[in-house]
Amino acid sequence: MFTVAGFINVMSPAAQLGILAVGAALLMIAGEFDLSIGSMVAFAGLVFGAILVVWQAPLAVAILITFAFAISIGALNAQIVLKTGLPSFIVTLALLFILRGMSLVGLKWATGGSTQLRGVRESVADSGLLPLFSGDVYGVPVELLWFAAVTAVAAFILAQTRFGNWILASGGDANAARNSGVPVADVKAILFIVTACCAALVAILTVLDSGSTDARRGFQKEFEAIIAAVIGGCLLTGGFGSVIGAFFGSIIFGLVVIGLTYTRIDQDWYQVFLGAMLLMAVLFNNFVRKRVAGEKA
């Protein structure tokens, strides 16, 4: 586990989760949730795989259409939340089930009854874009490079740009932010779309890596991404958080997932770890919030 190969093995699941966690962290800092990103991975994988295998479209076309679907789903989430005033937790929970069901129905339609679509790699074997989304670069998996790039861009935006200040203000006090001229609705809409696009990117990476897609792809990843963001310091109430924290929170998950395989510990203890880490992180974040705000414990 503590070799270069072992480290890369640990980082592979961390990278997939981390891309989702970065998007989820930005949205949480703005005071919203997206519980549909796990199902979005499955749905985007269905769209991507079907375009390649069933319609035999070029890889570039499949990627563009997949991201177009992600943008439309993210915009739909945003419009429902912002126009109705319903909690994003409820709206995206509904989309979680809708997208998962659409993935099941769509895969059965595309394959004639199966919930798994194979033959993706054969459809893109000669594509020049394939090295950007699959394989290694000097021994480093491409997904790790995407993870690092997404984290770096998000961290820069949050810490060094006006839009980053708008994100923090929107989650801290939306009314005060509006009165100060911050376009709160636009900020949240953009972040819903960014989160959906992060899920689409993970779908593309995993489908090309495995050569197939199935209806259970991304199962429970929405909860793991939120937990990773919370472990990294994001408050559930919004207004505070760190993309770098979400980055390291994802690495902790990777260490546990792969680390358990090196021991005799039952793999099901991973679920116990998830719950315990979430509880401890929420309690710690709540303690920090009260100390900063000067509230009594």
Side-chain angles (χ1 to χ4, degrees):
M1 180 176 177
F2 298 102
T3 63
V4 174
F7 175 74
I8 292 176
N9 194 32
V10 166
M11 289 297 294
S12 292
Q16 298 170 14
L17 175 61
I19 294 172
L20 296 176
V22 168
L26 290 175
L27 190 58
M28 287 176 65
I29 294 170
E32 303 292 348
F33 288 92
D34 189 348
L35 293 181
S36 67
I37 53 176
S39 296
M40 186 65 206
V41 172
F43 181 71
L46 160 66
V47 173
F48 181 65
I51 292 171
L52 289 173
V53 177
V54 179
W55 285 288
Q56 297 292 311
L59 178 59
V61 174
I63 291 173
L64 288 176
I65 295 177
T66 301
F67 277 113
F69 267 92
I71 291 171
S72 65
I73 296 299
L76 176 63
N77 275 333
Q79 289 304 307
I80 295 175
V81 171
L82 296 173
K83 295 297 184 182
T84 65
L86 292 172
S88 55
F89 178 90
I90 299 299
V91 173
T92 57
L93 180 63
L95 263 293
L96 180 155
F97 291 105
I98 292 172
L99 292 177
R100 187 68 66 179
M102 289 175 64
S103 299
L104 285 165
V105 174
L107 280 169
K108 289 181 179 179
W109 169 80
T111 61
S114 175
T115 57
Q116 187 174 49
L117 181 65
R118 300 180 180 274
V120 175
R121 288 299 297 269
E122 292 77 6
S123 301
V124 295
D126 298 326
S127 174
L129 286 176
L130 185 60
L132 294 176
F133 297 93
S134 181
D136 299 339
V137 177
Y138 298 108
V140 179
V142 169
E143 58 192 7
L144 298 187
L145 301 180
W146 277 106
F147 179 29
V150 169
T151 302
V153 171
F156 175 79
I157 290 174
L158 187 63
Q160 301 294 330
T161 68
R162 176 184 296 180
F163 187 75
N165 291 332
W166 288 353
I167 293 173
L168 291 163
S170 298
D173 190 329
N175 290 327
R178 290 189 189 94
N179 294 334
S180 300
V182 175
V184 174
D186 292 340
V187 169
K188 293 187 177 184
I190 291 171
L191 293 178
F192 271 110
I193 292 173
V194 168
T195 304
C197 287
C198 286
L201 175 59
V202 171
I204 292 170
L205 292 172
T206 54
V207 169
L208 289 177
D209 182 60
S210 63
S212 65
T213 185
D214 61 81
R216 285 186 59 84
R217 193 67 58 87
F219 183 68
Q220 290 191 344
K221 289 300 181 183
E222 58 276 350
F223 301 111
E224 294 179 8
I226 290 174
I227 293 172
V230 172
I231 291 174
C234 291
L235 293 179
L236 295 174
T237 53
F240 183 83
S242 167
V243 171
I244 301 300
F247 174 86
F248 285 107
S250 302
I251 293 177
I252 291 174
F253 276 101
L255 287 170
V256 173
V257 171
I258 302 301
L260 287 176
T261 64
Y262 289 91
T263 70
R264 297 181 180 179
I265 300 174
D266 191 330
Q267 299 297 304
D268 291 333
W269 280 102
Y270 173 66
Q271 300 294 327
V272 177
F273 169 80
L274 286 183
M277 287 298 294
L278 175 60
L279 182 60
M280 288 189 292
V282 170
L283 290 174
F284 179 74
N285 288 352
N286 188 54
F287 172 77
V288 172
R289 180 184 62 81
K290 289 184 176 181
R291 289 292 297 271
V292 171
E295 301 176 13
K296 294 182 179 181

